[in-house]
Amino acid sequence: MFSTVTLTLSLSIRSIIRAKRCFQHSNPVHAAMHKRLISAFVQNDRYIIVREEDDDDGGDDENGNAMKFPDVWLRDNCRCPQCFHQSSQSRRIDWDKFDIKVKVQDISTDKLEKSIKVKWSDQHSSTYDLEWLRERDFNATRRNKYLTEFYRPKPVHWQKSDFNKVTNVFKFDDVINNDNELKKWLESLAVYGVAIIEESPLQKDVVRRLAERIGFIRKTTYGEEFIVQSKPGAKNYAYLSHPLPLHTDLPYYEYKPSVNILHCMVQSVSKGGSNTLVDAFYIADQMKLNYPNHFKVLTETIVDWNDIGSEDGKSFHNIWRSPVICLDKEGNYTRINHSIPQRDSHFSTDIENVIPWYEAYSKFVQLAREEAAEFKTKPGDVLTFNNIRLLHGRTGYDDTEENIRYVVGAYLDWDIIYSKLRILKSKSGC
Ligand code: OGA
Ligand code: ZN
Ligand code: ZN
């Protein structure tokens, strides 16, 4: 099954196996004109190089299409049934016996040059499909492609003047019935953090139907579906007809729900009742650029967020401590927290941090207010947005018996949305 050409470690580092056989291109015209040469060899004792080149490029281009893999990574990722459990797609290699100093003893390519075979110093043999290797190449461009096209689409930050351009609109029936429309909705949410679904039925189960089209509703203190309407003795600040200043929902949760779905069933006919939305990643960009000291304060000062109350007779006291702008190790924004009503009067930070934090926060609030896009949903509209990234609010409205506003909400989590997006992409091949 495999070519007899092998390389042993005793050979010099630049030794190459050149297995000159025709590589079957998927394009038949190409197949007639080109041959592809595959070579596999060990470099610097610890790396395996797999090179592919067309035979008409002379074969001397060292950098050609070379892929480079650490030996230990290849051994760890052997795909044989002993090392990998196919039906659960899980590694089963015995790590209690795993030798991280494992070495290549022989390496060869198969007849059709579609795989390479490695014999290891631990006496194990592994076969690696070339296509599988290509998808895991450590090359920075390939890794970036995987991260932005499959892991998570790269967010595009937007300002108020771009709001209409970035807010994609979908039809409820299309999202429910057509996988491609579902994919486009989820992509819009991932890239811009906002999308609107129109023409939904005026029924209370719309948010559930949308959530279950993706996965399932993320339950919170306020239940699975929650009703936003003006209520006497409101237990939540949003359940008033007051203006609702810009905020993220539930900053007082360690695992903050990721995406809000707000289904407008009845809209106030009075002035007001409009929604406001801001891309807080864009605000963070502006702060970083123009107010770097304030930006630093907002990324470093830990704020106490809280929510005290009861729902369905059950009392709760939620607290989570986290900065306004959260960063990962690469400096990417991972989460924005902002809510004037849900900020605790406990501020568990050193006293000298307090006044600088107020200065920085007031700049953030001011910039956010200036960048807030305002629009009014109509019955049947479902506003969906990223609660980790966008700030949202609502203008005040008159609430009377003849003039009510009735919105049904639910949350989704990004883990579930990204998973669905990957399934849809794998199914459609892009
Ligand atoms: C909320 C909220 C928006 C609206 O309930 O937290 O932001 O349109 N509601 O009422
Ligand atoms: Zn194996
Ligand atoms: Zn809200």
Side-chain angles (χ1 to χ4, degrees), residues 4 14 64 86 157 175 184 200 216 239-240 243 251 367 406 423:
T4 51
R14 288 302 307 138
Q86 191 62 30
H157 305 176
V175 167
K184 287 203 266 180
S200 70
F216 43 84
Y239 301 164
L240 298 166
L367 293 180
Y406 192 95
I423 297 294

Side-chain angles (χ1 to χ4, degrees), residues 160-345:
K160 179 179 177 178
S161 54
D162 289 334
F163 178 73
N164 289 332
K165 216 166 56 196
V166 302
T167 306
N168 292 320
V169 179
F170 302 91
K171 300 237 178 302
F172 180 81
D173 283 347
D174 292 346
V175 167
I176 293 292
N177 299 316
N178 179 326
D179 276 358
N180 200 38
E181 289 299 296
L182 175 62
K183 180 162 72 114
K184 287 203 266 180
W185 170 38
L186 302 184
E187 263 167 349
S188 299
L189 271 175
V191 174
Y192 302 114
V194 57
I196 292 176
I197 297 174
E198 286 183 336
E199 296 178 26
S200 70
L202 300 182
Q203 291 161 356
K204 285 190 186 168
D205 66 351
V206 159
V207 293
R208 178 169 292 277
R209 286 178 65 193
L210 286 171
E212 291 182 356
R213 177 80 170 107
I214 301 167
F216 43 84
I217 292 181
R218 162 66 192 278
K219 193 170 179 179
T220 73
T221 303
Y222 294 97
E224 296 200 334
E225 294 97 335
F226 53 90
I227 312 293
V228 188
Q229 87 185 122
S230 185
K231 294 173 198 165
K235 290 272 172 28
N236 184 293
Y237 197 78
Y239 301 164
L240 298 166
S241 56
H242 287 188
L244 199 51
L246 289 166
H247 63 286
T248 63
D249 283 357
L250 309 129
Y252 43 79
Y253 273 169
E254 178 170 3
Y255 303 106
K256 179 161 85 160
S258 310
V259 164
N260 303 40
I261 321 181
L262 293 175
H263 177 212
C264 174
M265 287 185 62
V266 184
Q267 182 56 279
S268 170
V269 290
S270 77
K271 208 164 150 278
S274 297
N275 283 103
T276 48
L277 275 180
V278 185
D279 183 1
F281 283 2
Y282 174 77
I283 304 302
D285 290 340
Q286 297 307 300
M287 302 257 338
K288 192 173 175 179
L289 194 65
N290 300 321
Y291 308 95
N293 294 337
H294 287 341
F295 176 80
K296 192 165 183 298
V297 165
L298 292 183
T299 60
E300 289 177 356
T301 311
I302 299 176
V303 179
D304 305 51
W305 309 96
N306 79 342
D307 192 28
I308 304 171
S310 65
E311 181 84 5
D312 292 336
K314 289 187 187 142
S315 301
F316 53 80
H317 191 147
N318 295 308
I319 307 175
W320 174 244
R321 301 182 58 244
S322 179
V324 172
I325 301 170
C326 304
L327 302 177
D328 67 13
K329 284 204 169 62
E330 293 163 336
N332 300 312
Y333 311 131
T334 54
R335 164 168 169 166
I336 303 289
N337 295 303
H338 171 44
S339 175
I340 306 286
Q342 263 42 83
R343 186 159 42 77
D344 205 331
S345 46

Side-chain angles (χ1 to χ4, degrees), residues 75 78 80 83 124:
R75 177 66 189 90
C78 175
C80 84
C83 302
H124 195 72

